[in-house]
Amino acid sequence: MTGLAELFLLCKRDFWALFGAIWLLCGAGFLVIGTGLAVADGVVIPLVAGVGITAAGGAIVRRAHERIRLEQYLRREGVSVRGEVIAVDQTGVRYNRRVQWRLTYRYADRTGRQHRGQSGYLEPDEAAEWKVGDAVLIRIDPGRPARSVWMGRPEDP
């Protein structure tokens, strides 16, 4: 998978990345319009709204970016472990009118301590391939095993 395709998939699986980007773009639009109105007529409400919306969008995008960078790091540097699917749930998020799903999994670190994690948003057909009890491959941060990323099915049975 190319870097851009992987980044798109990671953003798609993180609702807040898309939501924050929309707010950031809307805020920028308000800033452009608001600046023109403030200079021409002294109307500052759109400008103030633009600053607020842009700041909120920027904060949301920054947090989503941190999550996506963590996921990229774990995919690249994490330690592979097997886990078990404990839930396959429908979410309230829709992309193109299609309800998105999410898997919840559990796994044990090298000390035997149990942890839980979740996949990102999945398309209905992808989620339909999973059931409770299925083995799942994940990658964990060796220094902080509570941080994990869902990778999919294990290669070997």
Side-chain angles (χ1 to χ4, degrees):
M1 185 178 301
T2 67
L4 191 55
E6 178 189 10
L7 183 60
F8 174 76
L9 180 62
L10 294 176
C11 287
K12 181 179 181 285
R13 289 193 172 159
D14 189 326
F15 169 78
W16 292 104
L18 293 175
F19 183 75
I22 291 168
W23 273 59
L24 197 57
L25 290 172
C26 288
F30 269 95
L31 282 174
V32 169
I33 293 167
T35 301
L37 288 173
V39 169
D41 300 327
V43 178
V44 296
I45 293 174
L47 181 60
V48 171
V51 168
I53 294 170
T54 302
I60 293 168
V61 165
R62 181 174 179 216
R63 302 260 338 250
H65 180 254
E66 290 169 2
R67 284 190 304 275
I68 289 169
R69 293 277 314 240
L70 173 63
E71 185 163 344
Q72 288 176 320
Y73 164 75
L74 292 176
R75 286 178 178 275
R76 191 178 58 251
E77 305 290 331
V79 175
S80 293
V81 223
R82 284 181 183 248
E84 175 186 19
V85 174
I86 58 174
V88 181
D89 298 311
Q90 187 175 354
T91 70
V93 174
R94 293 176 184 265
Y95 288 130
N96 295 325
R97 299 185 191 158
R98 293 175 53 128
V99 174
Q100 301 297 292
W101 292 70
R102 182 179 289 150
L103 301 180
T104 302
Y105 56 85
R106 70 173 161 221
Y107 62 97
D109 62 24
R110 61 181 156 77
T111 66
R113 186 169 179 190
Q114 291 287 317
H115 301 279
R116 289 181 179 211
Q118 292 186 322
S119 68
Y121 293 115
L122 304 174
E123 292 287 333
D125 53 336
E126 188 177 9
E129 297 174 10
W130 294 90
K131 64 182 184 314
V132 172
D134 283 351
V136 63
L137 180 65
I138 57 171
R139 293 184 65 91
I140 64 170
D141 185 339
R144 296 172 66 188
R147 297 186 338 172
S148 67
V149 62
W150 172 76
M151 299 295 292
R153 294 207 184 274
E155 294 294 321
D156 53 333

